[in-house]
Amino acid sequence: MIGFDYGTSNCAIGVMTDHQPQLLSLGDHGRYIPSTLYAPSRDIIVNWLFKQLSSPARDSFQQQRKLQLQKGRNSLRELTLDGYPTELSFGKAALNHYLQAPDEGYYIKSPKSFLGASGLMPQQIALFEDIVAAMMSHIKSLTEASLGRMVDETVIGRPINFQGLQGQKSNQQALAILSNAAKRVGFKAVEFQYEPVAAGFEYEASLRQEQKVLVVDIGGGTTDCSMLLMGPKQASSMDRAHDLLSHSGERVGGNDFDIALAIEAIMPSFGKNSLLKSGKPMPSNSFWQAMAINNIQLQSEFYSAENARFLQQLIRDAEQPELLTRLLSVQQQKLSYRVVNAAEQSKIALTEQASQHIDLTDIDEGLHINLDRSCFANACQRQLNAIASLMTEAIAQANTQPDVVFVTGGTAKSPVLQQFLQQQLPGCQIVVGDHFGSVTAGLTRWANKIYA
C-alpha cells in the first residue's frame, strides 16, 4: 500500500516504515518527480502505454483505443524512418527534451490542471486519461523497483475542487480520469483523500493536545483550506467526518503564481504595457494567451495562424517593434513553457535570496531581466488575496478561530507568502510544513489505516 501524491507540480510516493511515513526515492528523479511528460509525437503516447500494460488490461485497452493505436503506429514508423527516438520521458528529463527543441515533439506540464476542464470531447478525455496513466505507470514501476515488490493499493490525493467551471461535474470528471488511469496500470484498490486533510494528518502526528488547525495547502493548481479538530484522540479515529469543521478551495495555486509573475514581470520586455504608434496602449490579450499554459483554449488561440498574423500587424503598429518581435518568437517557436519556467525558477530562487537574474538570451540576444521579492509580491497580489479570502471563508464556515495555521505546498516556502499570511491573522501561530512532503506523508498514514 502506498500514499500517492499525484500533484499538479510534482508527484511523490510514500510508504510506512517502522510506523512512520517515508517518501521513496524513485530512480534518478529522487523523491519528487515534476509532473511533466514529453513525447516525440502526441500520437505515440497510447502505444507506449499499451506496451506497459499487462493482460487482461492490455486486451480491453486495445479494443477501446483501436484507432488511436493505429494512428500511433503510423507515427512510430515515421519517427523511426527519420531517426528520431520513440520513447517517452518524464520529470526533469521531459523538460530538458522540450527546452532543447521547443517547436518539436509534445510537452505537457501539470496535466492535473486540465482534468476538470469543461467542454472536453471524448477523445480529449481519452488522451488525458492516457497521459495520466503513462505517468502513473512510470511512477508505479519505479516504486516497485525501489521496494522490490508489487504495489496494488493506493490512496491518491485530490483537491477539494479540481480546476474547472462546472463544480461537482468537473470534480467527477477529474476523479474518473484519475481512477480509470490508476486501475488501468494495475492498482486494484484506489481511494482518494482531500490533500489539505492529508497534510493535516501529518501535522497531527506531532500534537500532544487537541487543537483547531487551519490547514492551508497551496498546490500547483489549487489552494485548499480545511479547518480540522486535531489531537491524539482524533488521530486514532477511523471516521474523521466530525473533526472536519470546514472546507474552502479555489483554482489558484503555484502555477498561477508563476504565470502571474511571467505576465507582470517578464512580459513587459515582450511589449506588454508598451504603446502603439498611435499613442494607444498595446492590446494585452496576446500576453495572457502566451503565458496561460494551464488553459487549453487560450494556448490554442495564441498558437493559431490567425494570431501569428495579428502579432505581425502589431509589430508594424508598435512604437517599440523590437519588443513585439520577441513575443512573435515565443509564438513561432512555442516558447510559452520556456518563459513560465523562467518565472517559476525565479520564484523558487526568491525564497532563498532577495533578487534574481533571468537570462533569456536564447530568445533574444541581450535579453536580461532582474526581479526581487517586492516585484513578486506586486505581481501576485491577486493570488495572495484569493488565498486570504479562502482562509476567511473557512474560518467563517467553522465559526471559530484557529489555534494554529499549518501551511504546506511548494509556494509555502516563500517569505513573501509567509509574511502575507501572518498579516492576515496577526498573533496566530503560523507553522510551515514539509513543503512538498506533508501531503504525501498524510496520504501514506491514511493508506496504512484503511488498508491495514
Side-chain angles (χ1 to χ4, degrees):
M1 63 191 75
I2 60 170
F4 191 165
D5 183 9
Y6 182 78
T8 303
S9 297
N10 294 278
C11 299
I13 297 292
V15 295
M16 292 297 287
T17 304
D18 297 327
H19 307 292
Q20 292 295 323
Q22 175 188 352
L23 271 64
L24 290 182
S25 182
L26 302 172
D28 295 335
H29 299 285
R31 295 196 302 168
Y32 304 106
I33 301 179
S35 302
T36 55
L37 176 149
Y38 177 87
S41 167
R42 186 180 72 176
D43 294 332
I44 71 169
I45 295 173
V46 65
N47 303 78
W48 184 93
L49 177 59
F50 177 73
K51 291 192 299 182
Q52 315 307 311
L53 302 180
S54 57
S55 186
R58 175 179 288 195
D59 298 332
S60 62
F61 186 70
Q62 188 170 25
Q63 291 298 318
Q64 294 173 12
R65 300 286 195 272
K66 191 172 183 179
L67 293 177
Q68 293 94 325
L69 285 165
Q70 181 57 53
K71 189 175 181 180
R73 282 192 288 269
N74 294 336
S75 294
L76 283 169
R77 279 195 294 269
E78 292 177 10
L79 289 168
T80 301
L81 287 172
D82 292 337
Y84 288 105
T86 58
E87 288 297 310
L88 307 190
S89 54
F90 304 88
K92 291 181 180 179
L95 176 61
N96 291 337
H97 274 108
Y98 161 73
L99 293 177
Q100 289 171 11
D103 56 346
E104 296 179 4
Y106 178 77
Y107 175 77
I108 185 166
K109 176 183 178 181
S110 308
K112 187 178 177 181
S113 299
F114 303 102
L115 303 186
S118 56
L120 292 182
M121 301 295 288
Q123 59 268 32
Q124 291 176 303
I125 291 177
L127 173 62
F128 282 122
E129 189 176 300
D130 293 345
I131 290 170
V132 172
M135 295 177 73
M136 286 185 170
S137 176
H138 177 68
I139 293 169
K140 187 172 185 288
S141 296
L142 292 172
T143 299
E144 292 172 343
S146 178
L147 294 173
R149 62 178 185 271
M150 302 289 288
V151 293
D152 58 11
E153 297 174 328
T154 186
V155 173
I156 301 174
R158 58 153 294 185
I160 295 170
N161 290 303
F162 287 85
Q163 296 190 55
L165 302 176
Q166 294 185 312
Q168 193 56 32
K169 186 176 180 180
S170 292
N171 290 336
Q172 291 170 353
Q173 175 180 287
L175 289 174
I177 291 172
L178 288 170
S179 182
N180 291 340
K183 290 177 180 177
R184 176 158 282 148
V185 301
F187 288 108
K188 296 177 181 178
V190 179
E191 298 290 340
F192 293 93
Q193 178 58 269
Y194 290 120
E195 289 159 351
V197 174
F201 289 155
E202 183 57 16
Y203 175 69
E204 184 175 51
S206 67
L207 295 181
R208 296 294 176 263
Q209 62 184 15
E210 183 176 288
Q211 285 188 337
K212 296 185 292 291
V213 181
L214 178 61
V215 180
V216 182
D217 177 23
I218 306 173
T222 59
T223 291
D224 292 319
C225 295
S226 296
M227 185 79 84
L228 293 157
L229 195 60
M230 294 184 175
K233 177 183 175 182
Q234 289 80 6
S236 63
S237 175
M238 287 291 292
D239 183 4
R240 301 302 300 269
H242 297 296
D243 302 329
L244 181 58
L245 305 181
S246 66
H247 261 332
S248 64
E250 188 177 329
R251 295 180 300 122
V252 56
N255 287 351
D256 299 283
F257 281 87
D258 303 336
I259 290 169
L261 187 59
I263 291 171
E264 299 301 329
I266 298 179
M267 282 294 100
S269 296
F270 291 73
K272 184 178 181 291
N273 302 331
S274 65
L275 298 175
L276 299 170
K277 291 176 182 177
S278 64
K280 294 181 179 180
M282 183 66 62
S284 61
N285 194 44
S286 291
F287 303 100
W288 286 93
Q289 291 174 338
M291 298 296 96
I293 60 171
N294 57 356
N295 189 304
I296 298 172
Q297 181 178 345
L298 292 182
Q299 285 278 277
S300 297
E301 291 171 359
F302 179 71
Y303 286 112
S304 68
E306 179 182 2
N307 190 51
R309 294 190 292 271
F310 175 70
L311 294 178
Q312 289 164 352
Q313 183 61 52
L314 280 185
I315 291 171
R316 291 190 287 269
D317 295 341
E319 191 176 77
Q320 297 173 280
E322 69 279 4
L323 300 184
L324 272 297
T325 299
R326 293 169 176 171
L327 186 63
L328 182 61
S329 295
V330 172
Q331 200 267 355
Q332 292 179 334
Q333 299 175 41
K334 298 183 179 179
L335 295 173
S336 291
Y337 283 106
R338 164 70 179 96
V339 179
V340 175
N341 182 64
E344 179 184 11
Q345 297 309 310
S346 297
K347 177 191 73 176
I348 294 170
L350 289 172
T351 63
E352 303 293 341
Q353 56 200 46
S355 62
Q356 170 68 5
H357 172 81
I358 301 177
D359 183 344
L360 294 174
T361 53
D362 56 317
I363 297 177
D364 188 16
E365 185 177 354
L367 179 53
H368 300 269
I369 300 171
N370 291 311
L371 304 178
D372 58 27
R373 287 175 178 169
S374 63
C375 178
F376 174 71
N378 292 334
C380 300
Q381 195 61 48
R382 189 189 71 79
Q383 288 72 29
L384 291 170
N385 289 338
I387 292 172
S389 296
L390 290 174
M391 294 168 62
T392 300
E393 180 183 346
I395 292 170
Q397 284 182 23
N399 196 29
T400 185
Q401 290 293 316
D403 297 313
V404 63
V405 177
F406 178 69
V407 191
T408 187
T411 308
K413 294 177 67 175
S414 170
V416 171
L417 176 69
Q418 294 173 29
Q419 181 181 8
F420 179 82
L421 295 181
Q422 193 68 74
Q423 291 169 352
Q424 306 311 303
L425 291 170
C428 187
Q429 182 185 7
I430 306 289
V431 175
V432 179
D434 180 356
H435 310 296
F436 291 121
S438 296
V439 171
T440 311
L443 294 172
T444 305
R445 289 183 183 276
W446 193 245
N448 185 65
K449 180 170 287 190
I450 67 173
Y451 290 129

